Structures are given as structure tokens and as C-alpha cells.
Amino acid sequence: MSSEPSLCTACKGLVHRLATEPRTEPEDYAVVAESFLKLEDSCAAGCPLCRLIRQKLVHDAFTTTKSFQDFRSVSAPIHVEFDENTIWVYSPAQDELGYTVQATLYRRPEEKSDDGVDDFRLNPKREIDDTENGMIHSLQNDEGLEAVAAIARDWISNCLNRHMRCSMLATLDQSGHRAVPILPTRVIDVGGKPGAPKPRLVVQDGTPIQAEYFTLSYSWGGGVAAGTKLTPSNLETMQQGIDMASLPKTIQDAIIFTKKMGLVRYLWVDALCIIQQSNDASDDHTHKADWALECANFGRYYTGSLCTLAATGSLSSDEGLFLDRPGLDYPANTYTIQRHTQTGQPESLVIEPSLPSWISCISKGPLTSRGWAMQERAMSPRILHFTVHAVFWECAELSANEFQTEKLSNRIGWPRLPGEELLSQRWLSEQSAEQQLHNSWYDLAVFYSGCQFTFPSDRLPALSGMAKKVWAMCAEGPEANLCLQQPKYYAGLWEGTIQRAIAWYSVWRVNRTLRYTHRLHQRDGYIAPSWSWACLRDDHLQVRFAQSHQPGFAVYDDEGPRKICTEWKFPLEIMDIKVEHTGPDPMGGVSYGQLRVNGMLARVNGVEREMTPSDRGHIFEFFRTSSSGEEHKLRIHLDSLVDRHADGEIYIFPYKHFHCLLVAFADEDTSGDEDLKLVGTQRVTTAALALRATGITTDGVEEYTRIGLVFAEREVLFGEAVKTVVDIV
């Protein structure tokens, strides 16, 4: 066993147990520190194992400066648990933070991570030998900033000159080279080189200007509201110059870094390049008109950008791009423990310094959960992600970071942006264009529906750029002329996919930053028609589509469950669709939408009002008796959360009755299968829109609004139903 004189008392005991108590399953845990601050005291005293534990927790569990600072004030202890293959470190901080802080300190090299991909950060044979030399400790000094800028210049150069996939996505000029883009309506002239005059606003007037530029993707938070932003009253003065000190920290850092890169002179930032709302009510019309025009061009602006600077690790624009890096506060070195396995074989348990991961920095970064940022990321050909632990690079061909500049080129095992295949024009030859559109676009919608908006009415405008790109690409796919021919777009749904796309349902959004309270926040104001997935209001819900829910029988035998019916059919007849838009963008915000359909309509009466939901206030199950006398279960996913009763357990189901409109069913082929008589056989054979009448009738057609999606067996709902024409708004 390796012994280090600088080990703290708790780690000496832990090392002894790791060396002498190999086990196949974890049983209890060791306490290595009474709190995170006590752990830091031990790190300051030089304990090498405490430094590794702290670094691993910081890199894996904290995606923002705030979350790290919040944890430093927590009194929960630091635990270590282990078996023969893995060592976990965690802190039971539920009472103070609402969640447990945890990370994997060590995993035997041959072990796979949860997604089945080798985790190089836990592999003793990784190619990075010296973590400290591979990491840039700070971007808040010129040395660190220049180091990152040099790496970023190489990434951009290689992307432009060597990446085949990226070159296929570029807009070409008449000579076949990448075309220099037309600048947005307004941009910030950053002043060229460091030390040049202060930045100023440049407004295109007349002939369009062609030049390279950067874009900024960030979360406003409170920083923009307090700092300088473009208004009608300062439009002229900002063209003379902009006081850097008046700008939010993130915009300041973006200007500084654009200068440092030395590749472009212009930067596009929405707060400075679009007329914003001011305190003067007379400016309101100008702001709204300019925003409507510029919003329609967001997709083009980000697509044309040479590179997007993304404040992926910042919660607000007052935090900046150049964040503190707490994972490097205490130098950490590899620590080795000699031990014997349960079979008596000697082995070295090598615990290494951790490296920031794509998942913890990008996938879980605060900007990733913002709705506008998703479009900005999807449309940008090249992105520099500034996070709390490192700078990452993303383009169509390469995902990398400052300490592994070329290591992630195949992107295997790294989460991709939903719908990436569609947006990057990688049409699948085995699928028709319509299938590709449905699968990729609505995969994107699932992710997007869980994103956050300051103004929920922005949900469709923030998707406009991606919708325009998809619309244009439909004429470029291998079967487009035969299949889609640039389909019409209706409030987030595409022509040719309507029957399937309205069969969506709500699920609880998994995001620890949103904590369940007695009364959840439900947004006011019109977002989209009730039949569109984009209408979802509650911050805690996101959508899924019925096509992803396997229908039919699940028969259980000695070999486990077997699916008998696995394909939905969508019988609803779409008769007419009407959508009214809030502005000039035909793929932007909407003010009204009506869907006229012809389908099987049934009424559900006598619903019990007080029920216990199966999932946090929006999924309810109840039973109905069919015409044959059998009792069947219905499950309804409401489109919004309902109030909890005063006793905290019972919820008030808001409807005594409602209507069901059949949107999907699965045929049942049970001939000759005796297994179907087994007790415990489960059936899910129909999906139906749950509707409430509005009391309005037009040309003899009753109007309804959607309230949810029902899953049930066909007999209990539609045994005696008849086809009916209805309007859904």
C-alpha cells in the first residue's frame, strides 16, 4: 500500500479500507470531511487525496460560479463510497440545496460509463499525462487570454481549411469558395486592435457591407437591464462611441476577446444591435417594429458568423465570459493505492486529477437550457463555449477543448444537439424526407420544449431561424421534390406531419434547478394554439410525442416482456388549418390558430374530482367500464399542472367531464396467441386528445380547446363513438 505523509487522518483511514476491504457491492461509506469548507482546509494543508476529491466534485457537480459558491456554504459532510470497481464521492445536501452533490472519483479502466462509452477522464492510461500543464488557470490575465485565443485561432483556421463536413455546410461564392457574409443591419465595430478607439455602433445604410463578424450568445439576466443597450434615444450617440464601463461584463469580455483574436472587426450583440424597450413609452412602437424585423433574421445572422462566442457557463450577462476556475484552486496530482482484488491478484488503484467534461460544462451549462440559445447554437457554424471550468470548441466536425484540442474529433459518446442530422443536412438514405423531417424536427421539439424563456411568447420566434433552414433544405433532400416540396409551417408543426405532431403529451422536466413548490409558476399570455406542442405553459413540463410511446400488448413470460403491437396509426382527417402571425415573419410568433379535423369523438362523464396524481400534479389515472362490462384504466397527461389540495396529497382534477378525439391507435393481432390470456397483460391501444368545449359554434362546427392527451384501451372510449367535425383552437 502506498503511504503519503501528507494524507489527512480521514484519508489515511480511507486508503487503508480501499487497500484491505475489496468488495463486490458498496455497503457503507467513509466520511472524509465534515463539510466542503473542511475539505478545503485539508486541501490547503496539502492532503493529495482531498485535493483529488475536491477537484472531482467541482468539475462534475458545478456548472456555474453561483452553484459552487452556494455549496461552499453548505454544512453537509463529504462521503466516499466504493466497491471493487468504482469509488463515488458525494454530499447529502438535499435539505440545503434540494439535491445531492455527487461525482465518480474512480472507475476501473475496463468499466463503461452509463451511456456505454469509455470515460477517458477516469482511465489511468489516458493520453494526457500532466493535467496542470494542459489547463489554463485563468482568462483574467493577458497570458491566459492569449493562450486561449491562440488555440481558438487554430480551431477556426482548421475548420475553414480542413473540415470537409463544415465546408459542405458553408455558403459558396461564384468561384466555389466560402462566401464573405453580408453584415447584419447593425454591428459593433470593436476597434480592430487592442488600444484602438472605443467600440462604436455601425449601421448599414444603402449598399450592404460584406465582412466577417462574430456573434455573441448569452443570457441577459439582470445585467443588460442595468447596463447600456440600444434605444431610439441613444442610436446616434452609440455610433460615435460606446463607453465600455457602461456595458454588462459579458459584452465587455466579448469585445475584448474579439479584439484579442484579431480575425474580425465586427461583433453582433442583440442588446446593442436591436432597438430595445426603454422607459419612454413613445419608443415602444419603434422597439416592437425593429425587433420584429430583426428577429426574423436571427438565423441568418448566426449562420453567417465566423464564430459565435457563447457564455455557456454564465447565468447572467453581469458574470462575463472569463469566469473563475475553482477546480484549479489546489494543484492535484495522481495518487496510487496498491491493493489485492477479491481473487487475490495485486493491482494498482490509480486516482487521477479530473478534467472538465462536455456533459458537465456544455450539456448541463446554464445557457444550454435557454430557448434562444438553442437556435443560436444550432445555426452557428463554429462556437467557442466559455464555461466555469474550460473553453470548449464545437463545429460540425470537431468537439474539443483547450486541453484536448484535437481529441474529440469523432464526437463519439458526446451528446449532440437534438435534430442535428436535419440541421446539418445529413439526410438518411433509408428514410423518406417526410420521415426524416418528422423524426429530427420533433426530436428537437422535445428538447426545445424544456428550454426556459423570460417571455414565453418568444418560443416560436426563437425557433424561426431553424424552421426557415429546414424549409429551405426540404428542396435539397434526395426525395424532397417527390415528398415535401417545401411544406407549410404551422406554429411549430409541418405540413405532412400534423396527424402525428398533435399527438404530444406532457412529462415532468428533469432539471434540478427547478424545484417543486406548492403552486408552480404558470405563464400568462398567448403562446400558441392549444394543439401545438409550443403552447405548453408550465416551467416544469416538457413534451413527448406518442410515436415514441410503444403501444399494444406487453406480455410477460419467463423471458420478460414481449411487444405484440408496436406501431401507431394516425386516422385523424385534417380538413383545414388557419394561423395568424404577430408580425411579418411567417415562421415566427402567432396570435391565433385553428385546426379543423374530422375524427372519432367521445364524451367522458362523471370524472372524480379529488384524485392522487401519478406524477406531481399533471398525470391522472382513473377507471371506466366498457359496453362489455369490463373495467379499463385511462391515463390522462394534462397540458398544465393543477392545484394541490390543502392536505398536500390529494389534487383537484379540474374537469367533471371532457371529450376525447381519437388521434392514434394500434391494431391488435391476437390470433393464435394463447399468451395473451395471461394475467397481468397490459394494453395501451389508443391515444386521444382531451378537449373542452369553448361554447362557440361556427357553421355548425363546435369549437374546442385541448387540455391533454389520454392513453387508454380502444373499447372504453370509442366503442360507440361516431365521426365528428370539430375546430380546435
Side-chain angles (χ1 to χ4, degrees), residues 122-285:
L122 304 175
N123 191 335
K125 297 181 180 179
R126 66 180 184 182
E127 297 178 11
I128 296 179
D129 296 322
D130 190 340
T131 303
E132 297 297 318
N133 290 338
M135 298 288 290
I136 297 169
H137 282 249
S138 176
L139 300 187
Q140 298 175 17
N141 56 61
D142 194 66
E143 180 183 1
L145 202 58
E146 177 55 41
V148 165
I151 295 170
R153 290 187 206 105
D154 287 342
W155 279 331
I156 292 175
S157 176
N158 289 334
C159 180
L160 293 174
N161 299 310
R162 298 180 183 179
H163 290 177
M164 181 65 67
R165 184 178 295 168
C166 297
S167 66
M168 292 173 63
L169 300 177
T171 301
L172 305 180
D173 59 21
Q174 293 181 347
S175 64
H177 297 95
R178 177 181 173 273
V180 178
I182 296 175
L183 287 179
T185 304
R186 307 179 190 93
V187 289
I188 301 302
D189 183 343
V190 301
K193 299 179 180 179
K198 60 184 179 180
R200 65 185 183 90
L201 181 69
V202 174
V203 181
Q204 290 203 62
D205 186 13
T207 305
I209 302 172
Q210 286 186 283
E212 301 286 4
Y213 62 95
F214 282 176
T215 45
L216 178 64
S217 178
Y218 66 114
S219 177
W220 277 35
V224 171
T228 295
K229 56 185 178 182
L230 181 62
T231 64
S233 61
N234 66 10
L235 179 60
E236 295 296 329
T237 58
M238 285 182 63
Q239 294 179 62
Q240 304 304 313
I242 303 171
D243 179 16
M244 281 282 283
S246 70
L247 298 175
K249 185 68 166 58
T250 297
I251 299 178
Q252 290 185 39
D253 288 353
I255 292 173
I256 291 169
F257 193 77
T258 301
K259 283 185 179 182
K260 176 66 71 174
M261 289 289 287
L263 299 178
V264 303
R265 183 168 180 171
Y266 302 107
L267 172 69
W268 187 86
V269 182
D270 59 355
L272 304 183
C273 299
I274 301 173
I275 295 176
Q276 305 295 327
Q277 190 171 17
S278 69
N279 295 327
D280 188 345
S282 63
D283 292 342
D284 196 47
H285 175 74

Side-chain angles (χ1 to χ4, degrees), residues 94-95 97-99 452 507-522 538-541 611-620 638 640-652:
Q94 299 95 322
D95 291 343
L97 295 179
Y99 56 89
Q452 298 171 318
V507 296
W508 187 260
R509 180 154 70 100
V510 180
N511 187 330
R512 74 184 188 191
T513 64
L514 291 174
R515 298 173 195 164
Y516 188 66
T517 58
H518 175 69
R519 181 65 184 124
L520 294 167
H521 185 200
Q522 187 178 98
D538 281 291
D539 290 342
H540 290 66
L541 300 179
M611 291 190 288
T612 301
S614 58
D615 187 17
R616 310 187 189 187
H618 76 291
I619 302 177
F620 292 84
L638 293 175
S640 61
L641 294 151
V642 302
D643 284 323
R644 183 185 294 178
H645 197 273
D647 64 10
E649 296 296 330
I650 302 299
Y651 287 66
I652 307 301

Side-chain angles (χ1 to χ4, degrees), residues 340-445:
H340 287 80
T341 66
Q342 286 201 337
T343 59
Q345 298 296 318
E347 71 170 354
S348 296
L349 192 158
V350 182
I351 303 175
E352 297 182 313
S354 74
L355 298 174
S357 74
W358 183 279
I359 293 175
S360 62
C361 291
I362 309 300
S363 301
K364 296 181 180 179
L367 189 64
T368 304
S369 67
R370 303 298 301 177
W372 281 105
M374 177 175 169
Q375 173 172 262
E376 294 158 7
R377 179 181 172 191
M379 302 300 289
S380 299
R382 287 161 288 276
I383 309 172
L384 283 169
H385 294 279
F386 291 81
T387 79
V388 73
H389 301 308
V391 173
F392 286 75
W393 167 266
E394 182 178 18
C395 66
E397 190 160 319
L398 175 70
S399 291
N401 49 45
E402 65 192 52
F403 48 88
Q404 284 195 313
T405 58
E406 299 179 359
K407 297 299 182 181
L408 310 178
S409 57
N410 60 6
R411 302 187 68 175
I412 293 176
W414 301 96
R416 303 176 182 225
L417 194 65
E420 182 185 40
E421 293 82 3
L422 187 63
L423 294 172
S424 62
Q425 293 176 302
R426 292 204 297 277
W427 297 84
L428 304 180
S429 59
E430 68 270 17
Q431 289 186 318
S432 71
E434 183 176 331
Q435 289 174 316
Q436 177 71 59
L437 175 61
H438 183 270
N439 294 339
S440 294
W441 178 263
Y442 296 111
D443 282 349
L444 183 147

